[in-house]
Amino acid sequence: MTRQSVYIGALVVFLVSCALTLASIVKPRWISWDSETPGGQHIHYTYGLHHRCSSLTGTCDYFPRTQDCHNDRYFCSMWRSVGFLMSFAVVIEGMTLIAFIVVLVGGKQKREQGWTVVSGLLLLAGLIQCAGMAIIAFLYDNDDRFFPGWKLDISWILCTTSWSILVVLASGIAASAFFLPSEGGYELIPDTEREE
């Protein structure tokens, strides 16, 4: 049976994973390219889920824009899908946070039975992020705009770390429900009138 200490520890690690998810969405560095001109000027381009940044202009523009999608609707659809998946993962993480609170505040019975909801939500959020990460990796490998020199950057790494943590947490909570003995405390009193 899952103990309170397991849930508290898992909650702390879960909050770290949520921070990684949010950072990967906000930071426009999923894929980047660095180069240097013959004159020694450093050029840096980055693609984020919602912005594209350039060191030449010193600005970040909304991405993908309509003109980015005229010739390649497939790329834009896939890129926007990742943005949706990552936003959906944040919603699932919010639901998971509420589930953690309900289970922790709800007493021993909630802790013993709530592991299915918490671990299920953790696994769902992890799988959604994994799908987003995989689509970006697929586009990086297969789209012509990412020629040699481009690399998967820190936001992709943050996303990968986040979903990995979520899947491990889901597995750990499920394993603790099966392998840890029941926590001490109150036991249900048998109803003696029904037995007679």
Side-chain angles (χ1 to χ4, degrees):
M1 297 300 160
T2 308
R3 297 173 181 256
Q4 188 172 14
S5 59
V6 172
Y7 281 114
I8 291 171
L11 177 60
V12 169
V13 175
F14 168 72
L15 292 174
V16 170
S17 178
C18 288
L20 294 175
T21 302
L22 292 172
S24 73
I25 293 171
V26 172
K27 199 163 189 61
R29 291 189 55 190
W30 280 77
I31 299 177
S32 65
W33 183 69
D34 288 304
S35 184
E36 197 168 301
T37 64
Q41 181 185 11
H42 182 74
I43 302 171
H44 184 72
Y45 287 108
T46 61
Y47 281 78
L49 294 182
H50 307 291
H51 292 91
R52 174 178 53 196
C53 302
S54 168
S55 64
L56 293 177
T57 62
T59 61
C60 293
D61 300 320
Y62 178 76
F63 178 80
R65 295 176 299 186
T66 307
Q67 60 258 32
D68 297 321
C69 300
H70 283 305
N71 297 332
D72 195 0
R73 290 189 178 278
Y74 174 78
F75 174 83
C76 291
S77 296
M78 296 294 278
W79 199 269
R80 287 179 179 143
S81 295
V82 175
F84 168 78
L85 286 171
M86 293 303 292
S87 297
F88 185 53
V90 170
V91 171
I92 299 297
E93 286 178 346
M95 293 169 54
T96 307
L97 179 60
I98 292 168
F100 265 115
I101 292 168
V102 168
V103 166
L104 282 169
V105 174
K108 182 180 175 189
Q109 275 189 319
K110 292 270 193 235
R111 285 191 299 277
E112 288 182 356
Q113 297 170 355
W115 69 270
T116 56
V117 173
V118 172
S119 61
L121 287 170
L122 286 168
L123 186 60
L124 180 61
L127 292 176
I128 291 168
Q129 287 186 41
C130 181
M133 181 257 346
I135 291 170
I136 293 290
F138 174 81
L139 291 173
Y140 169 75
D141 285 337
N142 295 297
D143 195 272
D144 293 337
R145 76 182 69 214
F146 301 120
F147 50 84
W150 287 90
K151 65 178 182 174
L152 295 168
D153 209 347
I154 189 71
S155 294
W156 187 84
I157 294 168
L158 292 173
C159 177
T160 304
T161 304
S162 177
W163 76 256
S164 300
I165 290 170
L166 292 174
V167 170
V168 169
L169 275 179
S171 303
I173 289 173
S176 72
F178 288 106
F179 297 116
L180 289 180
S182 183
E183 66 180 307
Y186 298 104
E187 298 291 329
L188 292 175
I189 299 173
D191 189 2
T192 55
E193 291 178 12
R194 287 191 183 176
E195 292 177 4
E196 295 174 1

